[in-house]
Amino acid sequence: QSLVLVSRLPYVNLFQSLLQLIAPEYFDKLEPCLEAVCNEIDQWPPPVPGQTLNLPVMGVVIQVRIPSRVDKPGSSPVKQFNQENLLPAPLVLPSIHELDLFRCFQPVLIHIQMLWELMLLGEPMVVMAPSPTVSSEMVLALTSCLAPLRYCCDYRPYFTIHDSEFKEYTTRTQAPPNIVVGVTNPFFIKTLQHWPHILRVGELRMSGDLPKQVKVKKPAKLKTLDTKPGIYTSYKTFLHKDKTLIKRLLKGIQRKRPSEVQSALLRRHLLELTQSFIIPLEHYIASLMPLQRAITPWKNPPQIRPFRQEDFMKTLEHAGPQLTCVLKGDWLGLYRRFFKSANFDGWYRQRHKEMTQKLEALHLEAICEANIVAWMKDKSEVEIVDLVLKLREKLVRARCQHLPVKEETLQRVGLYIETIISSLPEDLQAVLHHH
């Protein structure tokens, strides 16, 4: 029998802890137990970003903090919450959605740099693990190691031969899709041999000691079903390894540092690496935004200038990742490969959308500052009606897309529209009000 929890929220850590509480009881007492649990969960407050919630279930109180967009990345949420005389003492989860990164990456710590690059470039990868739990944890750990950059490719934490895409992934006539797949069936060693990067891991142990580090081997070594743990790939990293990180983590093991502290170290390292990579891109894309003085009320807002890869590459000499990162290597080569990936595409689309919305907002502000009566003096009715329709459309868009505009600005634009309409002949006023 299985107990399955279905949710649209990515709170992996919370749901894992929840299932560990519920499942043993459920298998013992069946339906009535589940009914009681569902009743309790129905009473839980909604997850509001930035709030700390106490979630009672089966005589335990799980205490979690819902992450918020304004949280500083890399800041540890393990601050002691206010204990409101909770009986029994709550089970405090250090994070609702983050895995124990250190435990997941233990066997591959010395290759963390390579794995980060493979994720950044959205390379196709198979994780072969002894159990669905290990497979899922490893895939989720890999896809989360790019934060704050969003991983925009597909990933399947646990994939089986019954999956509808099985045929597509195992065919050798086309290149594998850009996806990270977690599997447990040894049969996949044969059928996915042509994939460029295969990570084979054993059982994940508790983080007390550093297990033997897996080796990087050529894909051709993937012949037998009893393949040894290792990373099977011919990939050459663009950047050199970071020896200081490994030394710090090893020292942590010797000093019996708690796993969440080790995880926080690892997460901070990956965060700094991603930020070093992304900051030059952020600087460059910000320079493509039109100047504020180019935004005039009665013309459409100016366009964001196009992203030219070569222009960006030229900026790296004096504003590249070398300013914030000690790692040496071929950063330029890494950017060139990154431009071909879905992660770049996703990042660029998101930034472009945010900048377009900012332009719209600035345009609305400019309209509010303008003297509308003076503008209307020498305009025909057609032009005035056209302006009303355009302003209305802008107002609707600003509200639908939650543009970063002050409420008073929107109200002023609304008043403008009314003022303009009232200056028109009555038949036109009626038509516009009807619309």
Side-chain angles (χ1 to χ4, degrees), residues 212-422:
K212 217 166 99 207
Q213 295 293 291
V214 306
K215 292 190 166 60
V216 175
K217 309 172 184 183
K218 290 276 171 276
K221 294 254 164 64
L222 253 181
K223 281 286 175 275
T224 53
L225 288 186
D226 57 344
T227 302
K228 304 257 182 312
I231 300 177
Y232 294 83
T233 177
S234 343
Y235 180 80
K236 293 275 174 285
T237 54
F238 286 92
L239 307 177
H240 307 316
K241 265 188 193 143
D242 190 334
K243 302 255 170 49
T244 46
L245 171 78
I246 313 298
K247 282 185 188 140
R248 281 182 74 186
L249 292 170
L250 282 172
K251 198 170 272 175
I253 291 175
Q254 286 160 5
R255 293 183 180 165
K256 306 228 181 312
R257 216 185 264 145
S259 191
E260 51 246 45
V261 181
Q262 293 276 72
S263 275
L265 270 175
L266 189 50
R267 196 167 262 117
R268 177 152 308 131
H269 165 79
L270 290 166
L271 173 78
E272 285 167 3
L273 189 54
T274 303
Q275 281 178 328
S276 293
F277 183 80
I278 218 80
I279 286 167
L281 284 161
E282 297 282 4
H283 279 320
Y284 174 70
I285 203 166
S287 74
L288 304 177
M289 185 82 166
L291 295 171
Q292 199 154 346
R293 62 168 181 268
I295 301 169
T296 54
W298 315 122
K299 285 201 187 88
N300 282 331
Q303 296 286 305
I304 297 162
R305 290 193 295 285
F307 189 109
R308 298 193 201 285
Q309 293 176 12
E310 285 316 310
D311 289 355
F312 165 72
M313 294 306 231
K314 284 180 196 135
T315 66
L316 292 176
E317 247 169 84
H318 49 88
Q322 70 278 6
L323 300 182
T324 49
C325 187
V326 292
L327 284 194
K328 298 278 178 278
D330 178 11
W331 286 95
L332 297 180
L334 190 58
Y335 281 113
R336 284 193 203 285
R337 274 283 285 275
F338 176 67
F339 287 142
K340 300 188 177 109
S341 74
N343 290 330
F344 169 68
D345 193 53
W347 170 83
Y348 176 70
R349 279 167 195 264
Q350 180 59 27
R351 282 294 173 271
H352 198 274
K353 183 177 151 193
E354 286 163 8
M355 285 160 73
T356 309
Q357 291 185 339
K358 179 85 178 117
L359 273 178
E360 278 280 319
L362 289 169
H363 195 214
L364 280 169
E365 305 271 338
I367 289 168
C368 279
E369 301 304 311
N371 182 343
I372 211 146
V373 183
W375 178 85
M376 279 164 48
K377 276 212 176 84
D378 54 350
K379 297 292 181 285
S380 65
E381 279 175 8
V382 175
E383 287 172 290
I384 292 173
V385 170
D386 186 51
L387 178 69
V388 168
L389 297 175
K390 274 195 177 136
L391 285 179
R392 263 195 191 157
E393 191 192 346
K394 273 188 164 309
L395 212 49
V396 169
R397 217 173 29 233
R399 293 218 187 273
C400 292
Q401 296 180 357
H402 304 296
L403 290 189
V405 191
K406 294 191 203 74
E407 183 54 38
E408 59 191 290
T409 303
L410 296 179
Q411 282 170 356
R412 276 177 71 185
V413 174
L415 276 171
Y416 268 8
I417 295 172
E418 290 308 312
T419 312
I420 304 169
I421 293 178
S422 62

Side-chain angles (χ1 to χ4, degrees), residues 164-178:
S164 57
E165 269 129 329
F166 175 75
K167 263 211 166 57
E168 182 196 331
Y169 294 173
T170 50
T171 171
R172 290 169 186 244
T173 51
Q174 61 199 58
N178 296 75

Side-chain angles (χ1 to χ4, degrees), residues 183-200:
V183 300
T184 56
N185 190 331
F187 173 67
F188 278 110
I189 294 180
K190 272 169 78 165
T191 53
L192 297 178
Q193 248 174 36
H194 61 296
W195 278 50
H197 320 287
I198 293 175
L199 169 58
R200 182 87 202 258

